[in-house]
Amino acid sequence: MDNPEVKEPWAKTRDKKGRRTDMQDDWTKPAAKAVPKEGYFEEEQGRYGPIFPKTPACYGFTIIAKIKPGTEQTIRTYGRKIEETIAGLPDALEVLRLHYLRWVLFDIGAETYFMYQGIFDTDFDKYTEDAVALFSKYGINTVFENLEGFPEDWKSNPAAFVKFVREHQCPSFLEYGEYPYVSADEIKKALRLKAAFSTMLDQMQ
């Protein structure tokens, strides 16, 4: 028989997707969450597979895949292209609702691997679908094309794109938020408010 003393606090603080229901709006208290090996707290099927939960660090994933031989410089050049794109069009990736991206290339033996880490505010599958739509809209390619096993028909087959991402996703086993569950929009709104108050105080002096 289940121990109600263990089960009841869970029911009060988490919904089926692992999201806080009573304390999720309390950004004043740092929070940490240990995530099971599977990447979710309770198995619930979404559009493409199990739904990955929102944690104190919001949504996110870490993708690790082997690169195609000879493509390391192409991948690094793509990083500079992203830098230039954002410099000229700051809202280019707005639809992805990103907090952060981090790309890493590293070697294991004689082979080179690519690690893509992202933190964002949409759910896992929507982020991937939005990425496909974004690339298709601008007629550009994705850095993932340099990874072994990536589907050639990804622009017309979002499901194949999502399948690749899921197969190469390495779930975190711990996630921490200094200001947990806060969206990028909320952070920017707070910073705009801070700037407005600073301007007002400057004018009062």
Side-chain angles (χ1 to χ4, degrees), residues 14-29:
R14 298 277 174 180
D15 64 14
K16 291 182 179 180
K17 296 182 181 179
R19 297 175 300 195
R20 285 182 177 267
T21 55
D22 63 337
M23 297 175 65
Q24 189 167 336
D25 293 330
D26 188 2
W27 56 267
T28 64
K29 297 179 181 178

Side-chain angles (χ1 to χ4, degrees), residues 16-202:
K16 291 182 179 180
K17 296 182 181 179
R19 297 175 300 195
R20 285 182 177 267
T21 55
D22 63 337
M23 297 175 65
Q24 189 167 336
D25 293 330
D26 188 2
W27 56 267
T28 64
K29 297 179 181 178
K33 185 62 186 174
V35 183
K37 183 177 180 180
E38 296 78 15
Y40 49 82
F41 303 104
E42 295 182 17
E43 184 170 357
E44 180 182 357
Q45 290 297 309
R47 298 184 297 284
Y48 303 100
I51 294 174
F52 296 115
K54 184 177 184 179
T55 73
C58 297
Y59 292 103
F61 52 49
T62 299
I63 300 165
I64 299 177
K66 189 189 305 183
I67 72 171
K68 295 176 181 177
T71 61
E72 178 175 348
Q73 188 54 48
T74 301
I75 292 172
R76 293 187 181 279
T77 299
Y78 195 95
R80 289 195 292 272
K81 182 179 179 181
I82 293 293
E83 177 186 0
E84 293 168 359
T85 299
I86 298 303
L89 186 62
D91 296 333
L93 301 180
E94 183 177 19
V95 68
L96 299 180
R97 306 290 298 280
L98 279 162
H99 286 253
Y100 308 103
L101 281 181
R102 176 171 287 168
W103 293 2
V104 180
L105 286 167
F106 61 96
D107 296 330
I108 298 179
E111 298 173 328
T112 302
Y113 286 77
F114 174 74
M115 180 166 65
Y116 179 111
Q117 295 177 299
I119 297 293
F120 41 88
D121 289 323
T122 67
D123 67 62
F124 186 102
D125 292 332
K126 187 177 188 313
Y127 177 91
T128 311
E129 290 173 334
D130 287 344
V132 174
L134 181 68
F135 293 134
S136 298
K137 175 182 177 180
Y138 290 107
I140 59 177
N141 296 330
T142 171
V143 69
F144 289 1
E145 289 185 340
N146 299 290
L147 307 180
E148 291 191 356
F150 187 71
E152 294 183 0
D153 64 342
W154 65 272
K155 287 185 179 179
S156 60
N157 189 359
F161 193 124
V162 176
K163 182 174 184 291
F164 177 88
V165 171
R166 281 179 167 268
E167 288 176 347
H168 293 82
Q169 150 77 346
C170 298
S172 306
F173 66 90
L174 175 70
E175 297 204 358
Y176 170 89
E178 182 70 17
Y179 38 88
Y181 305 100
V182 179
S183 72
D185 284 344
E186 289 171 325
I187 293 171
K188 289 188 288 186
K189 182 178 180 180
L191 291 173
R192 286 194 297 268
L193 186 61
K194 177 185 176 183
F197 273 121
S198 295
T199 299
M200 180 183 69
L201 290 173
D202 289 342

